Coordinates of all heavy atoms in Angstrom, one line a residue:
D286 N 29.7 52.8 -58.9 CA 29.8 54.2 -59.1 C 28.5 54.8 -59.2 O 27.4 54.2 -59.2 CB 30.8 54.4 -60.3 CG 30.2 53.7 -61.6 OD1 29.0 53.4 -61.5 OD2 30.9 53.5 -62.5
V287 N 28.6 56.1 -59.7 CA 27.3 56.9 -59.8 C 26.5 56.4 -60.9 O 25.3 56.6 -60.9 CB 27.7 58.4 -60.0 CG1 28.4 58.6 -61.4 CG2 26.5 59.3 -59.9
N288 N 27.0 55.7 -61.9 CA 26.4 55.0 -63.0 C 25.8 53.7 -62.6 O 25.3 52.9 -63.5 CB 27.2 55.0 -64.2 CG 27.5 56.4 -64.7 OD1 26.7 57.4 -64.7 ND2 28.8 56.6 -65.1
R289 N 26.0 53.3 -61.4 CA 25.5 52.0 -60.8 C 26.3 50.8 -61.4 O 25.9 49.7 -61.5 CB 24.0 51.8 -61.1 CG 23.1 52.9 -60.5 CD 21.7 52.5 -60.8 NE 20.8 53.6 -60.1 CZ 19.5 53.5 -60.3 NH1 18.9 52.7 -61.1 NH2 18.8 54.5 -59.7
E290 N 27.4 51.1 -61.8 CA 28.4 50.0 -62.3 C 29.2 49.6 -61.1 O 29.8 50.4 -60.4 CB 29.3 50.5 -63.4 CG 28.6 50.8 -64.7 CD 28.1 49.6 -65.3 OE1 28.7 48.5 -65.2 OE2 27.1 49.7 -66.1
I291 N 29.2 48.3 -60.8 CA 30.0 47.7 -59.7 C 31.4 47.7 -60.1 O 31.8 47.1 -61.1 CB 29.5 46.3 -59.4 CG1 28.0 46.3 -59.0 CG2 30.3 45.7 -58.3 CD1 27.4 45.1 -58.7
I292 N 32.2 48.5 -59.3 CA 33.6 48.6 -59.7 C 34.5 47.7 -58.7 O 35.7 47.4 -59.0 CB 34.1 50.1 -59.5 CG1 33.7 50.6 -58.2 CG2 33.3 50.9 -60.5 CD1 34.3 52.1 -57.9
A293 N 33.9 47.2 -57.7 CA 34.7 46.3 -56.7 C 33.6 45.5 -56.0 O 32.6 46.0 -55.5 CB 35.6 47.1 -55.8
H294 N 33.9 44.3 -55.7 CA 33.0 43.4 -55.0 C 33.7 42.2 -54.4 O 34.9 41.9 -54.8 CB 31.9 43.0 -55.9 CG 32.3 42.0 -57.0 ND1 32.4 40.7 -56.8 CD2 32.6 42.3 -58.3 CE1 32.8 40.1 -58.0 NE2 33.0 41.2 -58.9
T295 N 33.1 41.4 -53.6 CA 33.7 40.3 -53.0 C 32.9 39.0 -53.3 O 33.2 37.9 -52.7 CB 33.6 40.4 -51.4 OG1 32.3 40.6 -51.0 CG2 34.4 41.7 -51.0
F296 N 32.1 39.0 -54.3 CA 31.4 37.9 -54.8 C 32.3 36.9 -55.5 O 33.0 37.3 -56.4 CB 30.2 38.3 -55.7 CG 29.1 39.0 -54.9 CD1 29.0 40.4 -55.0 CD2 28.4 38.4 -53.9 CE1 28.2 41.1 -54.3 CE2 27.4 39.1 -53.2 CZ 27.3 40.5 -53.3
V297 N 32.2 35.7 -55.3 CA 32.9 34.6 -56.1 C 31.9 33.5 -56.5 O 31.2 33.1 -55.6 CB 33.9 34.0 -55.2 CG1 34.7 32.9 -56.1 CG2 34.9 35.0 -54.8
P298 N 31.8 33.2 -57.8 CA 32.5 33.6 -58.9 C 31.9 34.9 -59.6 O 32.6 35.5 -60.4 CB 32.6 32.4 -59.8 CG 31.2 31.8 -59.6 CD 30.9 32.1 -58.0
Q299 N 30.6 35.1 -59.3 CA 29.9 36.2 -60.0 C 29.0 36.9 -59.1 O 28.7 36.5 -58.1 CB 29.3 35.7 -61.3 CG 28.2 34.7 -61.0 CD 27.6 34.1 -62.2 OE1 27.9 34.4 -63.3 NE2 26.5 33.3 -62.1
I300 N 28.6 38.0 -59.6 CA 27.7 38.9 -58.8 C 26.3 38.4 -59.0 O 25.8 38.3 -60.2 CB 27.8 40.4 -59.3 CG1 29.2 41.0 -59.0 CG2 26.8 41.2 -58.4 CD1 29.3 42.3 -59.7

Side-chain angles (χ1 to χ4, degrees):
D286 59 15
V287 70
N288 296 318
R289 299 181 179 177
E290 290 293 333
I291 296 176
I292 58 177
H294 65 84
T295 59
F296 295 104
V297 178
Q299 60 183 4
I300 301 172

